[in-house]
Amino acid sequence: MGNAIYKPKGKAGEYAEWACNLYVGCSNDCSYCYCKRGVLAHAMGGKTATLKKCLRDEVDALKKFTAELERNIDELRRSSLFFTFTSDPMIPETRQLTMDCIAVALDRGVKVQVLTKNADFVNDRKAMSKLPGWPEGVRDKIAWGFTLTGRDDLEPGASLNTERIRTMRYLHDAGFLTFASLEPVIDPVSTLAVFNESMDCCDLFKVGLQSGRSGGYDRGEVARMVHAMEVTDKKLYLKKSVTDYLGVEPHNPVDVFRLDHYWDGGAE
């Protein structure tokens, strides 16, 4: 993709209408990462985050991001902008540019969603100072998401799942919207454990199975996991991979900034 901002499709499209990818590669080094597989693995799945080839350097990246944002500003203001699918936007080597871009988006009235496996970015004063009025001035403009699998052994470069939940709780207590990506489900027991641990600080859970592994699950375990989640009062979005596997009615895509609208029956 030659752009930083684009409209994702497929599995990625279930997260947001608009997304931004600035980097490829990631130091989290997750063994299950979809970027490590397939024909693009050599270009997408490295252990080091590097700027996309269409971006010369950080200055050029911010300039192109701003131009693309303004070109799509009307649609973006009606939706939000998701960071990111091809790297982790909040690891040390990516977060400065990520924060610069988020500041530009917020300044132009565009809300953002951030998905990460990093727990210590909130302690990075230099990075957080990029956000105008942090934290009070941006509480209604940023939704913070954390990927939770419960399997630290498969994510050697990432923060521990317990640390991610602790940071999520801090942000939730500070008044931010929070969401969790329970994807991929490595094993239903571990996924249900992190779901239960984060129930008190997560506004929306998104659950998805691992790509290409549907035959490797125990259907009964997946069904029991989903049932245990559904009997709570938590807002839950089952991705197509789950509903297809279980043979149940698909869910409508959920906008984390419009949760009340969705669960009040207003979603189309």
Side-chain angles (χ1 to χ4, degrees):
M1 292 175 292
N3 295 333
I5 298 175
Y6 69 107
K7 301 191 80 167
K9 298 179 181 179
K11 292 177 178 291
E14 294 184 75
Y15 274 88
E17 292 183 41
W18 289 88
C20 173
N21 291 335
L22 300 167
Y23 293 88
V24 295
C26 178
S27 57
N28 290 334
D29 195 25
C30 303
S31 62
Y32 54 76
C33 181
Y34 68 92
C35 290
K36 289 183 175 182
R37 302 192 301 273
V39 296
L40 295 178
H42 67 285
M44 301 282 285
K47 296 182 182 180
T48 302
T50 58
L51 280 172
K52 294 174 62 175
K53 289 185 178 180
C54 63
L55 307 173
R56 291 194 304 271
D57 52 34
E58 282 77 7
V59 173
D60 178 63
L62 183 59
K63 180 179 179 180
K64 288 182 177 178
F65 171 86
T66 303
E68 292 173 21
L69 186 87
E70 293 178 342
R71 190 158 58 242
N72 300 289
I73 194 67
D74 291 337
E75 286 193 58
L76 286 165
R77 283 174 177 163
R78 288 193 292 267
S79 181
S80 62
L81 185 58
F82 182 94
F83 294 79
T84 175
F85 289 113
T86 57
S87 185
D88 187 319
M90 300 310 293
I91 54 179
E93 53 266 46
T94 65
R95 74 172 64 131
Q96 292 299 325
L97 177 59
T98 297
M99 287 299 196
D100 285 337
C101 291
I102 289 176
V104 170
L106 299 187
D107 182 63
R108 287 155 176 78
V110 176
K111 295 180 178 179
V112 300
Q113 302 181 50
V114 182
L115 180 62
T116 183
K117 293 177 185 171
N118 184 272
D120 62 9
F121 67 89
V122 292
N123 299 316
D124 187 334
R125 293 184 179 181
K126 180 180 178 182
M128 304 314 286
S129 69
K130 301 283 185 178
L131 300 181
W134 168 265
E136 292 83 359
V138 292
R139 282 175 176 155
D140 60 340
K141 301 172 183 176
I142 305 177
W144 298 101
F146 295 84
T147 297
L148 302 175
T149 64
R151 293 296 300 269
D152 296 323
D153 56 317
L154 303 181
E155 305 160 343
S159 300
L160 298 177
N161 279 257
T162 54
E163 294 172 345
R164 296 174 222 169
I165 294 172
R166 185 168 63 244
T167 297
M168 181 192 294
R169 185 171 291 112
Y170 164 78
L171 292 165
H172 189 266
D173 290 348
F176 289 94
L177 281 170
T178 56
F179 65 96
S181 173
L182 306 183
E183 184 182 24
V185 173
I186 305 299
D187 65 86
V189 173
S190 296
T191 296
L192 186 57
V194 289
F195 173 85
N196 289 331
E197 188 178 349
S198 57
M199 280 179 58
D200 66 314
C201 59
C202 185
D203 296 300
L204 172 66
F205 291 92
K206 296 191 174 189
V207 188
L209 301 182
Q210 187 172 354
S211 299
R213 216 203 103 182
S214 60
Y217 291 101
D218 181 298
R219 186 178 297 274
E221 285 189 353
V222 175
R224 286 190 290 273
M225 175 194 73
V226 170
H227 176 71
M229 294 174 176
E230 289 180 329
V231 297
T232 69
D233 61 353
K234 301 308 298 182
K235 294 177 172 62
L236 182 70
Y237 172 68
L238 300 180
K239 296 192 68 178
K240 192 172 184 294
S241 60
V242 178
T243 57
D244 282 356
Y245 180 67
L246 294 178
V248 299
E249 190 72 20
H251 287 198
N252 291 322
V254 182
D255 184 335
V256 68
F257 288 106
R258 303 185 70 200
L259 293 179
D260 291 338
H261 171 80
Y262 181 86
W263 265 272
D264 286 345
E268 296 179 355

